[in-house]
């Protein structure tokens, strides 16, 4: 799943929820504060909004009509970039002052910070609005985990993090922000925290998809790491066994295994007959022949063989 398509999955799930007008208010506040552009035409204040998701455009249109009884102008245009996506535009030239004041975004020329509108459950829907306006999240199948929301100013970034921190006592999210191309990016990079965020904005199915994909990916990575470690350990076992076999052959040629103790002879023969076996397997094979020896005891004998083989090679 591509980055864009998972973001779309999350946003479209948010749009399927039935909202009351009380819930629309903070959602619109978050969306318009993040996405809105004001201009003046024919002495009228114009509010312009845009999104690349048709269902998000439909939700914002429906919310404005439901809460403020207005008639936004709707249009769309195809982007000129290679992806040839569509951008949906909403513009409003009625009740703009009232809407900005009620949503606690601005009062006349004075910028406001939403407060009362974020009481009770309002903060959750404000965050939904911000994510619908500028959020994105990588697919859990990608090489890295990343969720972000883009705002216009450092002040807005700090305010958004303060709103998110309201859930910190029950939710483990550690948002940070950075400046990027005259914008500010509020982001998460930990998979478990992204899962918490998706649940917070009521994207439950996307959250489960993310979590299941993450668990599967982590399992595969764990299996790969295990296989790499197993192969590395197996190669070390083979290399060590080959060295032990060479030592035994030198001892047999120069001195003869008959001069070793019975336990040492049995261990040497077990190694010769099982060149790829780890030490633990050799110990078990000897136990089956009623020869008690520990792994550390077997290791000491092989070290003795090595020292003896070195001295015999020098003769």
């Amino acid at each position: 799943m591509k980055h864009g398509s998972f973001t779309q999955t999350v946003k479209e799930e948010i749009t399927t929820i039935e909202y009351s007008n009380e819930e629309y208010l903070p959602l619109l506040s978050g969306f318009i504060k993040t996405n809105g552009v004001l201009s003046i035409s024919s002495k009228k204040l114009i509010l312009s909004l845009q999104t690349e998701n048709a269902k998000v455009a439909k939700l914002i249109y429906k919310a404005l009509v439901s809460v403020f009884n207005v008639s936004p102008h709707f249009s769309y245009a195809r982007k000129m970039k290679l992806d040839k996506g569509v951008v949906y535009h909403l513009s409003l030239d009625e009740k703009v002052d009232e809407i900005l004041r009620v949503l606690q975004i601005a009062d006349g020329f004075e910028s406001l910070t939403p407060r009362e509108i974020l009481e009770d459950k309002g903060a959750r829907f404000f965050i939904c609005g911000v994510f619908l306006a500028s959020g994105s999240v990588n697919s859990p199948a990608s090489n890295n985990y990343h969720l972000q929301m883009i705002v216009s100013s450092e002040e807005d970034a700090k305010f958004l993090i303060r709103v998110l921190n309201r859930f910190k006592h029950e939710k483990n999210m550690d948002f940070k922000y950075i400046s990027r191309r005259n914008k500010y990016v509020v982001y998460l990079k930990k998979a478990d925290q992204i899962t918490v965020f998706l649940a917070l904005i009521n994207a439950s199915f996307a959250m489960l998809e993310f979590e299941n994909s993450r668990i599967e990916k982590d399992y595969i990575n764990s299996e790969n790491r295990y296989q790499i470690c197993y192969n590395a350990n197996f190669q070390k076992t083979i290399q060590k066994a080959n060295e032990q076999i060479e030592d035994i052959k030198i001892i047999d040629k120069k001195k003869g295994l008959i001069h070793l103790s019975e336990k040492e002879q049995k261990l040497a023969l077990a190694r010769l007959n099982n060149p790829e076996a780890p030490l633990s397997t050799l110990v078990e094979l000897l136990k089956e022949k009623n020869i008690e020896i520990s792994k550390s005891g077997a290791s000491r004998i092989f070290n003795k063989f090595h020292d003896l083989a070195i001295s015999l090679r020098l003769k």
Side-chain angles (χ1 to χ4, degrees):
M1 182 181 292
K2 295 180 180 178
H3 154 81
S5 62
F6 188 70
T7 297
Q8 182 172 323
T9 296
V10 175
K11 291 186 177 182
E12 290 186 356
E13 182 176 352
I14 297 172
T15 66
T16 63
I17 298 169
E18 287 295 325
Y19 297 96
S20 66
N21 280 358
E22 290 73 20
E23 293 165 344
Y24 272 142
L25 280 170
L27 189 147
L28 283 171
S29 181
F31 189 91
I32 294 174
K33 183 174 179 59
T34 306
N35 185 287
V37 175
L38 291 174
S39 60
I40 296 177
S41 177
S42 302
K43 298 184 179 180
K44 295 180 70 175
L45 195 59
I46 309 294
L47 173 64
S48 300
L49 307 167
Q50 70 175 38
T51 176
E52 295 179 16
N53 190 301
K55 293 184 178 180
V56 172
K58 182 179 178 181
L59 174 69
I60 299 304
Y61 183 97
K62 179 181 177 182
L64 286 167
V65 172
S66 178
V67 177
F68 297 104
N69 192 27
V70 291
S71 300
H73 303 287
F74 178 84
S75 64
Y76 66 90
R78 190 167 296 279
K79 292 193 295 184
M80 300 303 292
K81 295 180 180 179
L82 294 177
D83 58 12
K84 297 182 180 179
V86 175
V87 179
Y88 301 91
H89 297 272
L90 292 174
S91 63
L92 194 62
D93 59 5
E94 54 178 318
K95 297 185 180 179
V96 174
D97 281 326
E98 177 189 343
I99 290 170
L100 296 179
R101 185 174 63 257
V102 170
L103 298 181
Q104 298 178 1
I105 297 173
D107 187 0
F109 293 103
E110 181 184 358
S111 178
L112 300 177
T113 298
R115 297 195 185 280
E116 291 82 5
I117 204 171
L118 302 186
E119 295 298 328
D120 298 325
K121 297 180 181 180
R124 182 187 301 270
F125 297 104
F126 180 86
I127 293 166
C128 284
V130 175
F131 186 81
L132 288 174
S134 68
S136 64
V137 55
N138 282 11
S139 163
S142 62
N143 292 329
N144 63 302
Y145 300 113
H146 187 82
L147 181 144
Q148 67 178 33
M149 292 172 283
I150 301 174
V151 295
S152 298
S153 68
E154 185 174 16
E155 182 182 353
D156 286 343
K158 290 179 178 179
F159 174 72
L160 178 57
I161 289 177
R162 286 200 300 273
V163 176
L164 288 160
N165 283 343
R166 293 190 184 186
F167 301 90
K168 207 160 190 177
H169 65 286
E170 57 181 89
K171 310 288 185 183
N172 178 28
M173 294 185 295
D174 184 22
F175 274 93
K176 294 180 173 58
Y177 74 90
I178 57 170
S179 173
R180 184 191 297 163
R181 294 192 292 273
N182 297 322
K183 296 283 186 177
Y184 286 82
V185 180
V186 178
Y187 66 92
L188 284 177
K189 283 186 173 291
K190 294 185 177 179
D192 58 331
Q193 296 185 19
I194 292 174
T195 300
V196 169
F197 179 85
L198 294 176
L200 173 66
I201 61 174
N202 296 317
S204 302
F205 289 107
M207 180 270 289
L208 290 174
E209 181 181 341
F210 186 94
E211 188 67 2
N212 288 338
S213 180
R214 178 180 76 87
I215 290 171
E216 181 180 352
K217 176 184 171 185
D218 290 348
Y219 173 77
I220 291 172
N221 288 340
S222 295
E223 282 291 298
N224 289 340
R225 285 193 294 271
Y226 170 79
Q227 194 62 43
I228 290 169
C229 290
Y230 175 83
N231 290 338
N233 289 334
F234 182 71
Q235 290 301 321
K236 288 180 181 178
T237 298
I238 295 297
Q239 182 179 352
K240 193 69 175 176
N242 287 336
E243 292 172 357
Q244 292 164 354
I245 288 170
E246 288 300 315
D247 291 339
I248 293 167
K249 286 180 178 179
I250 288 291
I251 295 169
D252 188 30
K253 180 179 178 181
K254 298 277 189 175
K255 186 175 181 180
L257 299 182
I258 195 171
H259 292 93
L260 302 175
S261 69
E262 181 183 4
K263 184 179 288 188
E264 291 170 347
Q265 288 182 48
K266 295 295 184 182
L267 180 60
L269 290 173
R271 169 51 77 207
L272 292 173
N273 293 328
N274 300 275
E276 295 183 358
L279 215 55
S280 57
T281 300
L282 297 183
V283 168
E284 289 300 319
L285 289 172
L286 291 178
K287 282 184 179 179
E288 291 174 5
K289 297 179 181 179
N290 297 319
I291 299 175
E292 290 294 329
I293 186 172
S294 64
K295 280 179 63 177
S296 59
S299 180
R300 283 195 295 272
I301 291 174
F302 279 126
N303 288 336
K304 178 182 176 181
F305 287 171
H306 185 63
D307 293 339
L308 179 57
I310 290 175
S311 64
L312 289 174
R313 284 188 181 97
L314 297 175
K315 291 182 179 179

